[in-house]
Amino acid sequence: MKNTALSGEANVMNMKRRTFLRGTVAAGAVGVAAGTGLLTPRMVLAAWPKAAFDAKTVDAAVSALLGSSSLTGSDQIQIKAPDIAENGAVVPVSVTTDISGVESISLLVEKNAAPLTSNFKLGKGTEGYVSTRIKMGKTSSVIAVVKADGKLYSHGKEVKVTIGGCGG
Amino acid sequence: MSSIKMRAKLDGGVTTVKALISHPMDTGLVKDKKTDKLIPAHFIQEVTVTHKGTTVMTAEWGGAVSKNPYLSFRFKGGSAGDTLKLSWVDNQGKSDSSEGQIK
C-alpha cells in the first residue's frame, strides 16, 4: 500500500486519522483541521445531531445524541466486525441485538477524533440489526449503543487496524 | 444514473434491505495531494427508507462512514411487490432517491 511510509510521522502528528485513512495525502498535512470551523455545510438538516457528531469523546457524543451517557453493558448485543482490519477506511460492522423495543442503534469508535460514526433510528417493525461500513483511524474499541424503552445498553469490540501492514 | 442500488428480499415475513450508495463521504480533513488544499467535507447526513409511507429506517451519518456507504437492515411487515423508497441528503444539500420492490 502506498501509505506504508506514513506510520511514523502520523504518530507524531497525533494521528490525524482522516488523512491517514485515505492514504491519499502526506501524513500530518491536515494539521489543526480537526476543528469544526471547516465544516460549514450549506444546509444543515434540522434533525441532524451536529453536536453529537462533533463531540470528541464517547460520553459527550452519547449524551448529545441520546440525552444520557449512563450505559449498561449488555451481552444481548452482538457486534460482528473483523478482529484485525487491514484497511481502516473500510471496516464492516454489523450489530445484532435481542433486546426488545429497540429505538436506535448507534455506532461509535472510541479513538476516532469524533467517535460517533452513525446513528440508526429504527421503525416499529424494524429488527435490532444494522450493518454498515465505517472508518477507523487506529486500533480502537467499536462501541454499539442500543436505546430500548428509554434505556441505553452498550457493548464493545476491539478492532485492530493495521493499515498497510505497519502493525497494529 | 442513480447513486443508489437497493435490494430488498422477503424471507419468512422479514424483509432484508441492502443498499449501496455511491458518494465520496469526504470528512473535510483530507488534503488534496495535487492542490495542497483541503477537500471540503462532503458526506451523507441522513438516509431514510420508507415502506408504504412509514419510515422503517432513518440513518444519521457523519464523515466516519466509509466511502460509497453500505447499509443493511431488516424489518417486518413487508410483502412481496411492495415499494420501498430510499432517499439521502448530504451536508452540501444534495440529495437523491430511488425506489425498489420487495422480492
Side-chain angles (χ1 to χ4, degrees):
Chain A
M1 297 228 354
K2 56 186 163 187
N3 53 5
T4 321
L6 296 185
S7 66
E9 198 187 343
N11 283 329
V12 174
M13 290 312 290
N14 197 20
M15 282 282 192
K16 296 304 172 193
R17 53 190 52 87
R18 299 299 187 272
T19 314
F20 204 62
L21 287 173
R22 287 305 181 81
T24 54
V25 185
V30 165
V32 289
T36 53
L38 289 161
L39 302 167
T40 45
R42 241 179 280 154
M43 194 194 89
V44 176
L45 296 170
W48 193 70
K50 187 175 188 307
F53 279 101
D54 287 345
K56 303 290 179 235
T57 63
V58 171
D59 274 5
V62 173
S63 306
L65 184 69
L66 304 165
S68 161
S69 64
S70 69
L71 304 173
T72 311
S74 170
D75 54 10
Q76 285 181 288
I77 303 170
Q78 286 90 41
I79 300 176
K80 198 178 149 201
D83 294 328
I84 297 173
E86 283 172 19
N87 181 359
V90 185
V91 183
V93 179
S94 302
V95 178
T96 313
T97 177
D98 306 327
I99 299 169
S100 62
V102 177
E103 294 160 38
S104 75
I105 298 174
S106 315
L107 267 178
L108 298 99
V109 177
E110 194 181 359
K111 288 177 184 163
N112 272 5
L116 183 63
T117 66
S118 50
N119 177 41
F120 301 89
K121 291 194 264 189
L122 312 185
K124 267 193 180 152
T126 307
E127 301 200 325
Y129 164 81
V130 289
S131 177
T132 190
R133 298 189 297 218
I134 58 172
K135 299 174 193 169
M136 291 181 67
K138 59 178 164 180
T139 297
S140 168
S141 191
V142 174
I143 301 165
V145 176
V146 172
K147 185 180 183 187
D149 293 330
K151 275 189 164 179
L152 303 180
Y153 302 91
S154 75
H155 188 68
K157 181 186 190 321
E158 185 83 359
V159 176
K160 280 192 175 180
V161 177
T162 56
I163 308 176
C166 14
Chain B
M1 211 186 102
S2 172
S3 64
I4 302 163
K5 275 188 206 166
M6 177 168 61
R7 276 194 191 164
K9 197 165 188 305
L10 185 69
D11 188 16
V14 178
T15 308
T16 302
V17 182
K18 292 179 181 176
L20 262 178
I21 305 169
S22 50
H23 197 282
M25 296 302 281
D26 287 316
T27 59
L29 307 178
V30 180
K31 259 192 182 178
D32 189 316
K33 226 184 210 169
K34 287 171 196 153
T35 62
D36 221 29
K37 282 186 181 150
L38 284 171
I39 300 167
H42 189 198
F43 55 88
I44 294 174
Q45 289 188 312
E46 196 172 279
V47 181
T48 313
V49 183
T50 54
H51 166 249
K52 287 183 174 171
T54 309
T55 303
V56 287
M57 166 64 71
T58 308
E60 292 165 340
W61 285 350
V65 172
S66 301
K67 183 180 175 176
N68 298 333
Y70 168 76
L71 167 69
S72 175
F73 65 96
R74 296 193 282 253
F75 73 96
K76 283 179 188 150
S79 35
D82 285 0
T83 301
L84 280 178
K85 185 179 177 191
L86 184 150
S87 55
W88 59 258
V89 180
D90 69 22
N91 67 324
Q92 298 185 357
K94 290 175 185 143
S95 63
D96 197 3
S97 68
S98 169
E99 288 187 352
Q101 268 75 42
I102 299 176
K103 279 177 188 165

